[in-house]
Amino acid sequence: MEFFCIRNLNYSYNQEYVLKNINLSYDNKDFLSIIGPNGAGKSTLVKLILGLLNSKNAICFSGIKRNEIGYVPQHTLANPNFFPRVIDIVLMGLVNKKIFGFYSKNDKEKAMMALKNVKMQDFWDKKVNELSGGQRQRVFIARALVDECKMLILDEPTASVDSKSAIQIFELLTSLHEKGIGILLVCHDINLVLTFSDKIAHLNKELFLHSNQKEKEKSDFLKHLYENHSHFCDVEMSLNSCLCDTNCYYKESCQNKENCLKKESDV
């Protein structure tokens, strides 16, 4: 189902164009990633879709309303010295529905369900500063989901996490997408984008949309990395190569037996 359509969108700051003649339609069957250099207009485009900036009717919504879009910004803690509980962060997604300044029992049940959807329900009473970067990001995704959104827009969801957590976040987003939630995200990690995205938009003032044939083998390899290696980075991810022993299913020319838990019996 088409959620929105952008036609001939231009946007400028101080008479300098940051977006030129943008045309893009989004269907919720697509996992869409937006890539491009810094200053290319990616965050501006996201703000225009969300209605935080005025698009002058260049964006038309059909299968969704703007208030059905959940947003996960790149920077999520406005006060670095304030550390609320996980459940309180998720409830912030329902702040406009508080009755007489209080959350209802139904609100709290929704928050717990959102945490369950991102596999963080066991952490509901933890302070956010007690979580890892990847766990925090899951909580902020739960906050975006809690108000029964139909679509998630995320700005650099893996910017502050390690490679293992980044893969797990993309796998989480993939599972949400398979349940019918639209996914649009901004990301700089081309390995993850190519592995998980159906459509990839390259934006540098102008936008060029590419279709992508996702490779299950690549996805399985990334899962193998985070499940079996204490270290991996963009090098392994790019080369499709790890430091497993000669019995590894993925590579026959590996060197370091200790770095892999995969044994001959697993193959």
Side-chain angles (χ1 to χ4, degrees):
M1 177 187 295
E2 184 178 283
F3 274 5
F4 63 81
C5 184
I6 302 174
R7 288 287 180 264
N8 305 318
L9 171 64
N10 295 284
Y11 197 83
S12 62
Y13 294 113
N14 299 322
Q15 298 184 335
E16 181 178 348
Y17 279 103
V18 292
L19 296 173
K20 293 182 179 179
N21 195 31
I22 303 298
N23 291 277
L24 175 69
S25 60
Y26 178 77
D27 190 297
N28 72 327
K29 73 177 186 296
D30 295 325
F31 188 122
L32 172 62
S33 295
I34 301 176
I35 62 173
N38 292 331
K42 300 185 298 296
S43 293
T44 298
L45 180 60
V46 166
K47 290 176 182 177
L48 287 162
I49 295 170
L50 292 168
L52 301 177
L53 296 174
N54 186 3
S55 60
K56 297 181 179 178
N57 300 318
I59 305 177
C60 298
F61 290 84
S62 50
I64 195 173
K65 299 176 182 177
R66 272 199 171 108
N67 61 8
E68 294 176 317
I69 299 175
Y71 176 48
V72 182
Q74 183 174 352
H75 303 291
T76 47
L77 283 178
N79 185 348
N81 298 313
F82 174 59
F83 301 112
R85 296 184 307 161
V86 165
I87 189 71
D88 296 323
I89 288 178
V90 179
L91 284 168
M92 291 176 187
L94 297 169
V95 68
N96 293 328
K97 298 188 176 182
K98 292 171 70 173
I99 301 174
F100 303 115
F102 296 95
Y103 292 108
S104 67
K105 179 181 178 181
N106 185 52
D107 290 337
K108 294 174 182 178
E109 289 174 351
K110 283 184 176 181
M112 287 301 298
M113 181 56 67
L115 284 170
K116 185 177 181 179
N117 286 337
V118 299
K119 299 180 180 179
M120 286 294 292
Q121 68 272 23
D122 294 338
F123 297 82
W124 70 272
D125 200 33
K126 294 280 188 181
K127 293 289 186 67
V128 67
N129 60 312
E130 298 173 346
L131 306 179
S132 68
Q135 289 171 334
R136 287 191 192 191
Q137 197 67 306
R138 286 174 177 265
V139 172
F140 293 123
I141 291 172
R143 182 180 65 180
L145 288 171
V146 70
D147 200 18
E148 301 175 359
C149 73
K150 294 182 179 180
M151 181 176 184
L152 280 177
I153 294 181
L154 308 96
D155 193 355
E156 296 286 358
T158 61
S160 58
V161 302
D162 59 23
S163 296
K164 177 178 180 178
S165 297
I167 294 171
Q168 291 173 327
I169 287 170
F170 265 79
E171 288 187 337
L172 168 63
L173 295 175
T174 298
S175 69
L176 294 171
H177 185 243
E178 289 171 350
K179 295 176 182 177
I181 295 175
I183 301 291
L184 184 156
L185 60 86
V186 173
C187 185
H188 279 99
D189 194 322
I190 192 63
N191 286 301
L192 294 174
V193 167
L194 288 171
T195 302
F196 293 97
S197 306
D198 302 297
K199 297 287 180 66
I200 302 170
H202 184 276
L203 181 64
N204 189 4
K205 296 187 179 180
E206 297 179 287
L207 185 146
F208 298 90
L209 185 64
H210 306 272
S211 295
N212 180 47
Q213 186 66 42
K214 296 184 292 185
E215 297 182 7
K216 186 177 186 302
E217 181 180 347
K218 178 72 170 181
S219 178
D220 289 344
F221 175 68
L222 295 187
K223 186 175 181 179
H224 162 78
L225 285 177
Y226 79 72
E227 286 184 346
N228 297 294
H229 289 267
S230 59
H231 163 80
F232 66 90
C233 60
D234 287 345
V235 176
E236 288 90 349
M237 293 166 68
S238 297
L239 296 178
N240 245 30
S241 175
C242 57
L243 299 176
C244 298
D245 64 13
T246 55
N247 294 322
C248 177
Y249 173 77
Y250 296 94
K251 284 291 170 184
E252 296 180 357
S253 58
C254 301
Q255 304 290 325
N256 193 338
K257 185 175 181 179
E258 286 77 16
N259 282 355
C260 185
L261 301 177
K262 197 168 225 11
K263 305 300 181 183
E264 185 174 7
S265 59
D266 295 327
V267 181

